């Protein structure tokens, strides 16, 4: 990467998809020259360093803030003198939702930095994507623009934020952001008010981690699933000699598409139907009919939550007098949500919105044979890994 541009707001984004004016990812950042040290004091912004003067949920303009605690300014000056570089990582989805302009968000940060009188590197996540905490995008970008190797960062570095999963907190995003980036975690009360002296006043170089208990039980996949595909899952075998229709049923991000694509790759006579690809149900039904006319077997890889939705595909199968099997994926809602975030983190895919999970839950009818299925196969979510590195990555992250 070229030399950093200092003291000027910049934007980093992926190229928008064709016909989509909105960037897939978006983050704004402003850099300062770093001290010659690998110690980093990283902070959330709202409710960690400042709060709204107006007492509203979203700031109304660039002047709508007050410093959260009197102790903040002297504490920041003290750690800066000890050689810590200061960085702010803040989620500001209000920009995307038109709750506040990006200029006002930038203005609030600039005004805060001027009030404190210290150099801060600033990072703003504007979308619900890989750059948004607890995903690591902002921290990864920080490492990239400064050309810093993660392995060289001092173990004394830390991240301080208010979203710690306590009863009063709106989420665990800050605590998980610290975990996902291998940083020690502090709440503002711990760090600035010494509620618990995880970093002693006399020496910010302590290596002790925060021992404040979270009121939220962490959901970690390694605690809930097996490492490899187990024998308790039925094996989906292709139909021999006659065509058929396979209708997949399951939550978004439940592992259906990976399973379906692997199956179709091994069984070329199955035509793959997916609404994410075709965009509308009408196109899916049209392609199903075309495939049946071509005497192909069909695999419908959609969520297919209700009897009503499934009935339209079943009717087409009956029209061509072929058998129908249902493949029902039993992935828990917690696991599906985690997998959704995992692919945002590792593949930089667009996050499936929360409403998609709620709609599935509302519409869901358990598949039954009397819908017209010859067989229903129940598939539990299992994992398999190509190597130890892939397994380690899967077991690393915590998400909301």
């Amino acid at each position: 990467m070229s030399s950093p541009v200092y003291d000027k707001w910049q934007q980093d984004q992926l190229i928008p998809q064709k016909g989509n004016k909105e960037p897939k990812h978006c983050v704004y950042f402003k850099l300062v020259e770093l001290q010659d040290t690998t110690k980093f004091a990283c902070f959330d912004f709202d409710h960690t360093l400042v709060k709204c003067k107006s007492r509203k949920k979203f700031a109304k303009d660039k002047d709508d803030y007050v410093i959260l605690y009197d102790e903040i300014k002297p504490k920041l000056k003290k750690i800066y003198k000890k050689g810590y570089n200061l960085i702010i990582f803040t989620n500001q989805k209000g920009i995307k939702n038109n709750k506040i302009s990006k200029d006002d968000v930038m203005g609030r940060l600039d005004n805060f930095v001027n009030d404190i009188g210290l150099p801060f590197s600033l990072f703003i996540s504007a979308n619900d994507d890989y750059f948004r905490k607890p995903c690591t995008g902002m921290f990864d970008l920080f490492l990239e623009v400064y050309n810093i190797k993660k392995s060289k960062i001092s173990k004394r570095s830390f991240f301080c934020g208010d979203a710690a999963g306590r009863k009063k907190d709106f989420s665990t995003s800050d605590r998980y952001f610290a975990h996902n980036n291998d940083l020690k975690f502090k709440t503002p009360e711990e760090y600035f008010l010494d509620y618990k002296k995880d970093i002693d006043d006399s020496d910010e170089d302590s290596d002790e981690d925060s021992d404040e208990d979270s009121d939220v039980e962490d959901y970690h996949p390694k605690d809930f699933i097996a490492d490899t595909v187990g024998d308790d899952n039925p094996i989906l075998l292709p139909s021999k000699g006659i065509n058929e229709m396979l209708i997949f049923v399951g939550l978004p991000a439940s592992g259906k598409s990976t399973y379906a694509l692997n199956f179709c790759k091994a069984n070329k006579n199955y035509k793959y139907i997916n609404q994410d690809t075709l965009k509308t149900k009408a196109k899916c039904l049209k392609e199903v009919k075309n495939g049946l006319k071509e005497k192909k077997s069909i695999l419908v890889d959609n969520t297919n939550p209700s009897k009503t939705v499934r009935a339209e595909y079943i009717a087409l199968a009956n029209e061509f007098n072929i058998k129908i099997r249902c493949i029902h994926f039993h992935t828990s809602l917690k696991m599906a949500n985690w997998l959704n975030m995992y692919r945002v983190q590792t593949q930089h895919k667009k996050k499936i919105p929360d409403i998609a999970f709620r709609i599935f839950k509302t519409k869901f009818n358990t598949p039954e044979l009397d819908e017209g299925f010859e067989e229903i196969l129940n598939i539990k979510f299992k994992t398999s890994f190509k190597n130890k590195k892939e397994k380690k990555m899967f077991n690393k992250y915590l998400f909301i």
Side-chain angles (χ1 to χ4, degrees), residues 155-158 183-186 190 197-200 203-211:
K155 292 181 180 180
R156 299 164 183 170
S157 300
F158 64 90
L183 297 169
K184 292 186 296 180
F185 177 69
K186 309 293 174 186
E190 286 176 325
K197 295 187 178 182
D198 300 302
I199 297 180
D200 191 270
D203 185 5
E204 271 71 25
D205 292 351
S206 166
D207 284 334
E208 293 296 318
D209 284 322
S210 169
D211 60 359

Side-chain angles (χ1 to χ4, degrees), residues 294-331:
E294 295 165 3
K295 300 190 180 303
K296 285 183 172 289
S297 287
I298 304 295
L299 190 156
V300 183
D301 173 30
N302 297 328
T303 58
N304 297 314
S306 68
K307 288 183 179 181
T308 303
V309 170
R310 298 190 289 263
E312 294 185 71
Y313 294 106
I314 291 170
L316 278 175
N318 289 334
E319 183 181 330
F320 284 82
N321 197 30
I322 64 170
K323 75 173 186 177
I324 315 150
R325 290 192 287 167
C326 175
I327 317 301
H328 184 195
F329 287 78
H330 290 260
T331 304

Side-chain angles (χ1 to χ4, degrees), residues 41-203:
C42 309
F43 300 90
D44 177 42
F45 189 52
D46 288 293
H47 307 291
T48 296
L49 298 173
V50 302
K51 61 183 178 181
C52 289
K53 187 163 50 179
S54 65
R55 298 187 179 182
K56 292 183 177 181
K57 183 176 180 180
F58 294 98
K60 60 182 183 179
D61 55 39
K62 63 184 177 61
D63 298 313
D64 189 8
Y65 77 94
V66 290
I67 294 175
L68 189 61
Y69 303 124
D70 292 339
E71 293 85 352
I72 286 177
K73 190 171 183 176
K75 186 85 175 204
L76 292 174
K77 288 183 179 295
K78 185 175 181 180
I79 57 169
Y80 183 73
K81 287 181 179 178
K82 285 182 172 286
Y84 280 77
N85 291 293
L86 306 176
I87 304 138
I88 292 174
F89 296 104
T90 177
N91 288 345
Q92 296 289 340
K93 197 167 68 172
I95 296 172
K96 180 182 178 182
N97 296 337
N98 296 317
K99 302 291 185 182
I100 187 170
S101 72
K102 72 174 175 28
D103 290 336
D104 281 335
V105 172
M106 293 172 180
R108 289 178 83 229
L109 285 160
D110 286 336
N111 289 342
F112 168 80
V113 170
N114 290 335
D115 282 350
I116 298 298
L118 295 170
F120 279 81
S121 298
L122 307 171
F123 292 81
I124 301 169
S125 168
N127 284 0
D128 199 356
D129 57 22
Y130 156 67
F131 287 114
R132 182 174 174 82
K133 295 177 294 181
C135 289
T136 64
M138 282 194 285
F139 195 77
D140 294 340
L141 179 61
F142 156 71
L143 296 177
E144 180 185 352
V145 294
Y146 282 114
N147 194 25
I148 298 170
K149 290 184 178 179
K150 193 172 183 179
S151 60
K152 299 298 183 182
I153 291 178
S154 170
K155 292 181 180 180
R156 299 164 183 170
S157 300
F158 64 90
F159 180 75
C160 175
D162 66 299
R166 300 163 295 177
K167 288 179 181 178
K168 67 175 184 175
D169 298 335
F170 70 95
S171 81
T172 54
S173 58
D174 288 331
R175 182 162 62 87
Y176 287 2
F177 180 72
H179 169 89
N180 292 342
N181 287 297
D182 302 314
L183 297 169
K184 292 186 296 180
F185 177 69
K186 309 293 174 186
T187 64
E189 293 82 3
E190 286 176 325
Y191 190 65
F192 293 114
L193 303 182
D194 295 326
Y195 278 19
K196 291 190 177 183
K197 295 187 178 182
D198 300 302
I199 297 180
D200 191 270
D201 273 350
S202 61
D203 185 5

Side-chain angles (χ1 to χ4, degrees), residues 224-234 254-255 258-259 329-331 335 339 378-385 394:
F224 292 85
I225 59 179
D227 288 338
T228 57
V229 175
D231 295 333
D232 54 342
N233 263 341
S254 61
T258 299
Y259 194 107
F329 287 78
H330 290 260
T331 304
M335 189 70 226
L339 289 167
N378 295 297
I379 305 292
K380 297 177 183 178
F381 182 84
K382 298 290 182 181
T383 58
S384 60
F385 303 106
F394 190 85

Side-chain angles (χ1 to χ4, degrees), residues 246-252 254 256-257 260 272-278 280-281 284-285 288 299-305 309 313 327 329 360:
L246 300 176
I247 297 179
F248 280 29
V249 175
L251 283 160
S254 61
K256 299 186 307 302
S257 293
Y272 178 73
I273 304 295
N274 177 264
Q275 192 165 317
D276 288 342
T277 304
L278 296 171
T280 67
K281 187 175 181 182
C284 289
L285 292 168
V288 167
L299 190 156
V300 183
D301 173 30
N302 297 328
T303 58
N304 297 314
V309 170
Y313 294 106
I327 317 301
F329 287 78
F360 180 91

